[in-house]
């Protein structure tokens, strides 16, 4: 068992149930990721469909971009890092993606699509909006799109990859 500990900690510490655990610092985790990963994505802050609070939606979009900037500042050139975009409509997704590109991201990922999949037209509008602001030659990935029919539509638009949640 490995326990993340922001303050460091001693290797071989005891866990909650008396088992021996190794403490892993954020710095050690980042070093390990840089050693073994080829691709990565920033952590986004999902904006649920049911979220009507405009201030909270904006806060989550700002946190998504701020977190991405921080991750980009720490990433090595060896790992291809995708900036994860969030939003609540196609315009907000495009704005988030534009901010990620302005921060230096060449590759983008689109989060929050899973609950929108029942309305394929909405998903396609979001993806088109992000593709319009993506850097030339950059890749766009869509999280959570496991439906082959929808995936084919996204590939036809220019999406490079999808995954299923």
């Amino acid at each position: 068992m490995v326990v993340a500990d922001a303050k460091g900690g001693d290797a071989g510490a005891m866990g909650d149930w008396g088992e021996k655990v190794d403490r892993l610092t954020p710095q050690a985790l980042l070093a390990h990721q840089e050693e073994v990963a080829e691709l990565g994505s920033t952590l986004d802050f999902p904006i649920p469909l049911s979220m009507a609070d405009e201030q909270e939606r904006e806060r989550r979009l700002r946190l998504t971009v701020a977190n991405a900037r921080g991750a980009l500042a720490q990433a090595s050139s060896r790992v291809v890092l995708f900036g994860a975009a969030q939003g609540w409509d196609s315009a907000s997704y495009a704005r988030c993606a534009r901010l990620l590109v302005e921060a230096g991201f060449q590759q983008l990922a689109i989060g929050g699509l899973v609950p929108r999949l029942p309305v394929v037209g909405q998903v396609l509008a979001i993806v088109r909006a992000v593709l319009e602001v993506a850097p030339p030659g950059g890749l766009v990935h869509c999280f959570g799109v496991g439906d082959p029919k929808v995936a084919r539509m996204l590939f036809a638009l220019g999406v490079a990859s999808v995954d299923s949640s």
Side-chain angles (χ1 to χ4, degrees):
M1 175 178 194
V2 177
V3 177
D5 183 348
K7 297 178 184 173
D10 298 327
M14 299 305 283
D16 291 341
W17 294 282
E19 76 279 17
K20 188 174 179 180
V21 298
D22 293 326
R23 299 247 179 231
L24 181 62
T25 66
Q27 296 79 15
L29 179 59
L30 180 61
H32 178 70
Q33 289 173 337
E34 293 290 336
E35 181 182 320
V36 300
E38 295 176 14
L39 302 170
S41 175
T42 61
L43 177 67
D44 54 348
F45 290 78
I47 303 170
L49 287 170
S50 61
M51 185 174 287
D53 182 341
E54 188 173 330
Q55 288 181 333
E56 181 61 15
R57 291 189 310 210
E58 287 291 339
R59 185 181 82 84
R60 289 178 183 220
L61 193 145
R62 282 193 313 272
L63 288 171
T64 293
V65 173
N67 189 64
R69 286 181 179 141
L72 189 60
Q74 295 182 52
S76 75
S77 59
R78 196 181 91 54
V79 176
V80 177
L81 187 62
F82 285 70
Q86 271 290 337
W88 52 92
D89 59 16
S90 57
S92 61
Y93 270 94
R95 181 164 48 97
C96 186
R98 190 175 306 106
L99 291 169
L100 294 170
V101 171
E102 289 170 1
F105 283 92
Q106 296 298 305
Q107 323 309 328
L108 298 173
I110 306 173
L113 296 177
V114 173
R116 292 168 170 82
L117 286 173
V119 184
V120 175
Q122 184 181 36
V123 171
L124 297 176
I126 289 168
V127 171
R128 281 187 194 103
V130 171
L131 286 166
E132 285 179 15
V133 300
L139 303 174
V140 174
H141 175 82
C142 292
F143 288 120
V145 181
D147 182 323
K149 291 178 185 175
V150 177
R152 278 193 291 277
M153 287 185 242
L154 297 176
F155 294 144
L157 292 177
V159 167
S161 58
V162 300
D163 62 35
S164 60
S165 57

